[in-house]
């Protein structure tokens, strides 16, 4: 698998640099590569250790925010976003991460405000639109209808052959991690959950 091989090569290079210079800022890149590979615990350990030496390194706080978001540690992820913003200011990437954290924490109006601002300056960004759609689904008719059903009754979202789904703008040669693929799939209106099963079952 080319993506895994590429990540392994990046991890090996970063580890070599870090072993030669333990004070190197490469720890953030190493932690992010481990995150993309799916090794969240290792990624967190590397990033936390590096931040003990370089607490004012903003990009490492961004990586730590992503790691915590994927570990479902949403309060910690939000703290890391704020630390990164305090050091380097808010960037579009940081605001995107914050909007995802706020959605997970149920702070939908705050997330919607951020996404609307981002979409205003980048109207063709499908990833932003999908996140905004996920908020609208959470607060729309589907939720209110679900709440009025008798207990024990299940409901499926309104989805027919006429339903139009906007796909994210992903190039055919674009490389995505498994986590990015799962996150993207989970944003579609007709998807209630995403499950990934390995060869071992």
């Amino acid at each position: 698998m080319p993506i895994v091989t590429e990540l392994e090569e990046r991890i090996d290079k970063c580890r070599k640099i870090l072993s030669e210079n333990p004070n190197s800022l490469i720890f953030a890149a190493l932690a992010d590569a481990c995150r993309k590979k799916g090794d969240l615990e290792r990624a967190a350990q590397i990033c936390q250790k590096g931040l003990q030496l370089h607490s004012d390194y903003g990009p490492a706080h961004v990586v730590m925010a992503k790691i915590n978001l994927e570990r479902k540690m949403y309060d910690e992820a939000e703290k890391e976003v704020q630390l990164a913003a305090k050091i380097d200011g808010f960037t579009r990437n940081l605001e995107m991460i914050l909007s995802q954290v706020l959605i997970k924490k149920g702070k939908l109006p705050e997330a919607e405000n951020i996404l609307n601002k981002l979409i205003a300056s980048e109207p063709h960004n499908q990833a932003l639109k999908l996140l905004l759609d996920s908020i609208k689904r959470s607060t729309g008719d589907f939720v209110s209808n679900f709440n009025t059903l008798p207990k024990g009754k299940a409901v499926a979202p309104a989805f027919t052959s006429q339903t139009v789904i906007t796909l994210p703008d992903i190039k055919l040669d674009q490389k995505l991690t498994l986590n990015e693929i799962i996150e993207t799939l989970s944003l579609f209106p007709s998807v209630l959950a995403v499950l990934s099963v390995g060869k071992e079952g």
Side-chain angles (χ1 to χ4, degrees), residues 41-173:
E41 292 309 312
R42 183 75 182 131
Q45 290 170 4
I46 292 166
C47 206
Q48 287 166 346
K49 185 176 179 182
L51 281 168
Q52 288 174 359
L53 296 173
H54 305 284
S55 60
D56 60 346
Y57 186 46
H61 288 288
V62 175
V63 172
M64 197 68 227
K66 291 179 181 179
I67 293 167
N68 285 333
L69 175 59
E70 292 182 25
R71 292 164 83 198
K72 305 187 188 316
M73 299 169 63
Y74 305 126
D75 288 338
E76 290 80 358
E78 188 172 3
K79 286 175 190 173
E80 292 295 338
V81 167
Q82 298 302 335
L83 285 169
K86 187 176 180 182
I87 295 165
D88 294 325
F90 267 107
T91 62
R92 291 184 64 79
N93 180 43
L94 206 52
E95 288 185 323
M96 176 89 159
I97 296 167
L98 179 58
S99 69
Q100 291 173 290
V101 171
L102 292 173
I103 289 170
K104 296 295 187 181
K105 291 181 72 172
K107 297 181 178 180
L108 303 184
E110 292 175 49
E112 188 172 3
N113 287 338
I114 293 170
L115 290 169
N116 281 327
K117 185 181 83 169
L118 292 173
I119 289 171
S121 60
E122 198 177 347
H124 301 296
N125 188 317
Q126 294 300 323
L128 294 173
K129 289 179 179 179
L130 284 170
L131 281 173
L132 190 58
D133 285 346
S134 74
I135 293 174
K136 290 176 180 175
R137 286 199 320 272
S138 298
T139 57
D141 292 336
F142 171 66
V143 173
S144 60
N145 289 341
F146 182 82
N147 290 335
T148 59
L149 283 176
K151 288 188 178 179
K153 296 279 186 179
V155 65
F159 183 70
T160 69
S161 59
Q162 304 302 314
T163 303
V164 176
I165 297 177
T166 304
L167 296 173
D169 187 18
I170 297 173
K171 297 174 184 170
L172 291 177
D173 61 346

